[in-house]
Amino acid sequence: MNSNYSGTMPAARDHPSPESLVMARYGELFLKSEPVKRHFIGMLLRNIRKAIGAAGMDCRYETPRGRILIYGGEPEKVAGIVSRVFGIIDVSTCHRTSTDLDDLKEVALSRAKKHLSDGMSFAVRAKRQYKTGLTSQELGTESGSFIYDNIPGLSVDLDAPEYEVFVEVRDFGGLVYDKRIAGPGGLPWGTQGRVLVLLSAGIDSPVASWLSMKRGCEITHLYLDAGRWAGTDVTAAAIENHRRLSLWCSGNPVPLVIADSEPLFDAMSRLKVQPRYRCVICKRFMLRVAARLMVHEGALAVVTGENLGQVASQTLANLGVVAEAATVPVIRPLITFDKEETITIARRIGTFDAKPGDLACRAVPKMPATSAVLEEVKEIEQRMGIEDLVAAACDGLRFVTALDGKIMEDSRASGE
């Protein structure tokens, strides 16, 4: 059989020999209105270009409906880069053919021969864009039969095959591939504006930052340095989290602002503040500092790694007391996550460290309050001169910029 697949396209072969490329798919963008979708796809393409450019590569791009096609050298390397771009649901290295059925079958067989041998099971997954010509099921049957007839000893298993080959026919031609690399999904970086993320040396806040990026937010990290009240490895671990997260937005510099919170703990010690209130006061202090720095950073909200009931300061009662200090929107991506869910993501994104070093907090009380009284907390803050402490923390800030997994700048500046 040697027929044109659609029954409507000319029989001439636009692509007489298979052409290697990378195909990226996006998902949620389809739900947007046409103008918004066009804008988001443009942002997505910009981010892909930046990520590939950061690797020193130059590619050519096409954007047929539902797909981004990327042409250039080293397709496997390009696929790995694009699979880390927010907004992409999966990536495949493909061969592009004409829409001629024989072309599609030959390329599918060529792919399959590299992976299949006697005794193995396989399946063909077929899709077609046209409403005329062979159906998707018929296309899969034709391609599968051709592979079955040319590689001895195979069996077909549509439920759990040892090998899958995918065949697509679209208006721009045919595509054949046999691997789908999962992407992060979400929305393109930069489509939702900037947020200020309270970053720590721990597991939760880096995951909260990553989830905010996944929803299209540009990121500024804010780390409160507790000085001698923190473990010896805390600041280095926080900067390392910052560095690792920059790998997820290649080509885009990510700023980290480091503010000094040591005077806060000195004041609580000097005034003999009830130890059980220290954590709540610290959390409120962080939100106050973040609110003051938001305008400078152009941020629209503060993101925290708080999780309901995980520690004493994160009981529902205490979260209410902490939130009272916020004068800006606060987003808590992890609020309902189990710890294991957070750890799973941390491992996936590369921020989990099984041996993080000394990350202790020297100010944590033995019996923290689980239901702080707001009026008492506010009275303590007034005695401490909390506004002066916030102003002092915002003076002499340290700025650390990460780009593509490298620290590019580490400097200090005065004032806000």
Side-chain angles (χ1 to χ4, degrees), residues 69-207:
L69 307 181
I70 306 166
Y71 301 86
E74 301 183 79
E76 293 292 341
K77 182 177 180 180
V78 170
I81 293 169
V82 178
S83 70
R84 296 172 67 88
V85 174
F86 293 108
I88 296 299
I89 57 172
D90 63 47
V91 181
S92 299
T93 57
C94 306
H95 279 110
R96 177 172 173 172
T97 75
S98 74
T99 57
D100 185 273
L101 181 59
D102 284 350
D103 278 357
L104 290 162
K105 293 193 299 183
E106 288 287 354
V107 175
L109 175 62
S110 176
R111 283 249 179 179
K113 282 181 175 179
K114 298 176 182 179
H115 301 277
L116 288 174
S117 58
D118 189 358
M120 293 182 66
S121 63
F122 81 105
V124 175
R125 311 298 188 191
K127 290 183 179 180
R128 60 95 169 89
Q129 188 172 5
Y130 302 114
K131 301 302 182 185
T132 60
L134 297 179
T135 66
S136 296
Q137 184 176 0
E138 290 169 338
L139 175 61
T141 300
E142 289 275 357
S143 302
S145 296
F146 190 67
I147 293 172
Y148 185 86
D149 291 341
N150 283 275
I151 303 177
L154 299 183
S155 62
V156 175
D157 185 343
L158 300 180
D159 296 319
E162 295 174 88
Y163 173 76
E164 292 178 299
V165 61
F166 300 84
V167 177
E168 290 191 20
V169 175
R170 306 183 69 81
D171 55 5
F172 55 81
L175 292 172
V176 181
Y177 52 97
D178 55 16
K179 183 167 60 175
R180 299 177 69 161
I181 306 169
L187 299 175
W189 162 279
T191 57
Q192 302 302 304
R194 183 170 294 275
V195 294
L196 191 65
V197 180
L198 293 176
L199 186 69
S200 72
I203 296 171
D204 296 343
S205 64
V207 173

Side-chain angles (χ1 to χ4, degrees), residues 19-22 52 57-61 69-78:
E19 183 179 14
S20 296
L21 70 143
V22 172
I52 292 175
M57 305 177 72
D58 186 25
C59 294
R60 179 171 62 86
Y61 304 87
L69 307 181
I70 306 166
Y71 301 86
E74 301 183 79
E76 293 292 341
K77 182 177 180 180
V78 170

Side-chain angles (χ1 to χ4, degrees), residues 32 40 187-195 212 215-218 300:
K32 307 300 179 184
F40 277 28
L187 299 175
W189 162 279
T191 57
Q192 302 302 304
R194 183 170 294 275
V195 294
S212 300
R215 296 310 302 165
C217 295
E218 295 183 80
L300 303 175

Side-chain angles (χ1 to χ4, degrees), residues 196 287-288 290-292 294-295 299-302 323 325-331:
L196 191 65
L287 289 181
R288 293 175 188 272
R292 183 171 290 222
M294 272 182 62
V295 174
L300 303 175
V302 174
T327 57
V328 295
V330 179
I331 300 172

Side-chain angles (χ1 to χ4, degrees), residues 298-337:
L300 303 175
V302 174
V303 174
T304 79
E306 291 168 313
N307 175 280
L308 185 60
Q310 182 168 269
V311 294
S313 65
Q314 295 174 20
T315 63
L316 193 56
N318 280 347
L319 285 174
V321 173
V322 170
E324 193 274 341
T327 57
V328 295
V330 179
I331 300 172
R332 299 178 175 90
L334 304 182
I335 195 67
T336 63
F337 279 38

